[in-house]
Amino acid sequence: MRAALLTEFNKPLEIKDVEVPKVGKGEVLLQVLACGICRSDWHLWRGDPSLVAYMQWSGGKLPIIPGHEVAGRVVEVGEGVSNVEVGDVVVAPASSTGDNRTCRYCKEGASNICEHLWIPGFGTHGCYAEYMKVPASSVVDLVKVPEGVPPEYAAITGCGFGTAWNALVVKNGIRPGETLLITGAGGMGLSALLIASAAGAKTVVVDVNPASVEKAKKMGATAAYHYSGHPQELAKLVNEEIVKSFGMVDAVFDSTGNPDVLSAVLPAVRPQGRILLAGLMMKGKEIWPLASDIVVARELTIQGVLMLPSQKYDGIFKLISEGRVNLEPVIYRRISLDEVNDAYAEMSRFKNAGRFVITKF
């Protein structure tokens, strides 16, 4: 099968022919129909510490096939598999149980923070390939995709859209009539915009990419602003434009993982407001120097969000099937496996307004 392999950090992925994974007891083989390119994949490619640490903790090593936003067709099942069968189209949630849901968190419905967490493309080979194997300990988390839901849409529910859903719906991060400030309008930020708008919230978006700002406006953002990337400029924009126009915001959804961004927007959060952290920090910017006096004085809640447990998928595919949430604008470009390095280059310039999705292998 054809696959893209990460062989060295910050170097082009290598497109190679490799063996199709062999399926053992309890395992499942997927033919990959669509694979999103998540900013987390890009962080690993760069060699950013948090992702490298997770890869090493979970047993992964270079060379590895990246990719964790996957929708695939089941083409082979191992002995003992009963929850899916050949022909099913499924999503493997990017953050899944690694122990058949036996740890305390899985039992509480939070398989996304399993004590033995499995994320394809980090601990095992991922979906930048024609086929991907799901380990026996994670097969229980496969989610069937209803007919009529395009594989591209299904794939990005596994991480980008799923993370936003977890933050804003599962964790009650936004309510009708509230104002949500979205920092970063990539695939995850645009997903948050869709979800918050559908919930009846006002949405204010900031991004360094003018194309992302324009897309957010077209997708129905209440307001969207471009800034150059300087923290002082963002702080001025927040204080002189956003707060004056909309008042202090009820919640922030951050997909940037940039501590400078977080420090600039923190003063705009109202008392008892929420900061929802979904972005990952880059090398050299791993620490957020938190203004804890603001957090204490305003009784703010800071909530980390890691993808979406498979147990909480209820409602997502129903909304998509009924056309109440349209994920097409979240997709920036459908590409082939051979274009993956071009996609990474564009992501490094922060020029992509949404998600790259691999659909040709």
Side-chain angles (χ1 to χ4, degrees), residues 54 92-119 137-138 140-143 166 171 306-313:
Y54 170 72
S95 183
S96 292
T97 180
D99 57 17
N100 283 304
R101 296 186 183 170
T102 57
C103 82
R104 60 170 291 188
Y105 304 108
C106 290
K107 290 177 181 177
E108 294 170 357
S111 60
N112 61 316
I113 53 171
C114 176
E115 290 178 343
H116 305 93
L117 191 65
W118 174 66
I119 302 178
S137 58
S138 307
V140 66
D141 268 356
L142 292 176
V143 179
N166 189 10
K171 291 182 168 55
L306 180 68
M307 306 179 191
L308 177 70
S310 61
Q311 300 100 315
K312 303 296 172 61
Y313 254 77

Side-chain angles (χ1 to χ4, degrees), residues 254-304:
D254 178 72
S255 65
T256 70
N258 186 332
D260 295 334
V261 170
L262 293 168
S263 295
V265 303
L266 179 65
V269 184
R270 68 161 173 84
Q272 296 189 334
R274 291 91 68 200
I275 300 98
L276 305 163
L277 302 180
L280 297 171
M281 294 184 177
M282 294 189 290
K283 187 175 183 179
K285 286 187 175 291
E286 298 97 338
I287 304 298
W288 177 20
L290 181 64
S292 57
D293 54 341
I294 295 179
V295 176
V296 172
R298 298 185 188 173
E299 294 190 345
L300 302 182
T301 297
I302 298 175
Q303 173 73 63

Side-chain angles (χ1 to χ4, degrees), residues 132-210:
M132 188 188 89
K133 184 169 71 172
V134 180
S137 58
S138 307
V139 167
V140 66
D141 268 356
L142 292 176
V143 179
K144 293 182 183 180
V145 179
E147 289 187 19
V149 175
E152 303 97 301
Y153 297 3
I156 61 179
T157 67
C159 181
F161 185 87
T163 300
W165 183 271
N166 189 10
L168 300 175
V169 178
V170 177
K171 291 182 168 55
N172 297 313
I174 199 64
R175 304 177 187 96
E178 291 189 323
T179 300
L180 176 69
L181 175 58
I182 299 169
T183 51
M188 188 157 58
L190 293 175
S191 295
L193 167 59
L194 285 176
I195 295 165
S197 297
K202 290 179 285 188
T203 52
V204 181
V205 177
V206 295
D207 200 283
V208 297
N209 181 3

Side-chain angles (χ1 to χ4, degrees), residues 76-92:
E76 188 176 350
V77 298
E79 179 187 346
V81 173
S82 59
N83 60 314
V84 296
E85 57 187 27
V86 172
D88 287 342
V89 175
V90 299
V91 169

